[in-house]
Amino acid sequence: MLNKKGNFLILLTFVFLSHVGRCEEVILSDFENKEEWTVQYNGKKINLSILSLSPDAIHGKNSFLITSPPVKGAGEIEITKEINKDLSNFERIEFWVKGFSNGKSFYFLVEDAEGRAKEYYFVPDSLLYDIFTPEWRRITIKIEPCIIEWKKVRRIGFKIVSKRGANSITKIKIDTLIAG
């Protein structure tokens, strides 16, 4: 039979162990170095206008401006970064976004070491302007067990998909990718 001191130690150990393994917040990118990011249009590497801008940043040192010229027909712009991180102990990934997109959809992309990609679809057509506004909007991705191996995340990024036949322009600012 345990005394009060023994019960207290068990309780203290349980509380301590329940917090072991959880990581503090880690900045995955504050967009200071835009050269870390690869840009592709329909699978081909391109030089798209990508800038690191600090005056407009709200959480990090820089925000990330992605602009694309008008695009006719269907097309995909993919902006990705190699990270090679174990994100399995984190609860979420967060970033902030604002801007303008006419006729496109916006995804957050995670790819593991096996090349399996999980895309988080944020902007169905009816909600486009809920994300693309003049105000910063926070996006939170919950890290849950799924087809992705969170221990072996190889690439993260964004994908902007144009609609067929849409003549669309995109200007989006993204601020600070954080895992927490």
Side-chain angles (χ1 to χ4, degrees):
M1 186 172 244
L2 293 172
N3 58 20
K4 287 183 182 178
K5 201 181 234 182
N7 287 338
F8 177 75
L9 285 175
I10 290 171
L11 177 65
L12 188 62
T13 303
F14 177 77
V15 169
F16 177 76
L17 288 177
S18 67
H19 289 88
V20 171
R22 283 286 164 204
C23 297
E24 297 295 318
E25 282 191 349
V26 170
I27 295 175
L28 301 176
S29 181
D30 66 2
F31 303 113
E32 187 174 19
N33 183 3
K34 65 179 183 173
E35 276 68 38
E36 291 177 349
W37 293 80
T38 301
V39 184
Q40 292 187 331
Y41 179 71
N42 286 348
K44 295 178 186 155
K45 196 170 178 180
I46 60 163
N47 291 321
L48 195 65
S49 173
I50 295 186
L51 304 170
S52 289
L53 301 170
S54 51
D56 197 35
I58 56 170
H59 292 92
K61 290 186 282 184
N62 300 281
S63 61
F64 194 60
L65 175 66
I66 301 165
T67 64
S68 74
V71 177
K72 292 185 178 181
E76 290 181 1
I77 298 168
E78 199 176 272
I79 302 105
T80 58
K81 176 181 179 175
E82 301 281 329
I83 64 165
N84 296 315
K85 283 209 184 285
D86 177 357
L87 297 177
S88 62
N89 287 329
F90 292 90
E91 294 176 342
R92 72 195 189 289
I93 297 172
E94 287 185 356
F95 60 95
W96 290 260
V97 64
K98 72 173 181 173
F100 171 77
S101 181
N102 180 12
K104 297 194 179 191
S105 298
F106 180 65
Y107 299 77
F108 180 76
L109 183 143
V110 180
E111 185 179 311
D112 66 14
E114 308 300 318
R116 292 176 295 223
K118 169 84 174 176
E119 294 168 356
Y120 292 84
Y121 184 65
F122 291 118
V123 193
D125 295 339
S126 60
L127 298 176
L128 259 179
Y129 297 100
D130 285 350
I131 296 293
F132 298 117
T133 68
E135 304 299 321
W136 285 104
R137 296 288 175 102
R138 182 172 70 172
I139 305 292
T140 301
I141 298 144
K142 213 169 168 195
I143 294 178
E144 297 173 340
C146 62
I147 199 165
I148 286 292
E149 183 71 48
W150 289 100
K151 281 184 175 284
K152 299 174 185 172
V153 173
R154 180 174 70 112
R155 273 192 329 147
I156 55 173
F158 305 93
K159 187 159 84 169
I160 303 161
V161 181
S162 68
K163 293 198 277 189
R164 185 165 298 284
N167 187 359
S168 46
I169 300 168
T170 296
K171 285 194 177 190
I172 300 171
K173 289 180 184 172
I174 302 168
D175 185 64
T176 315
L177 267 167
I178 296 173

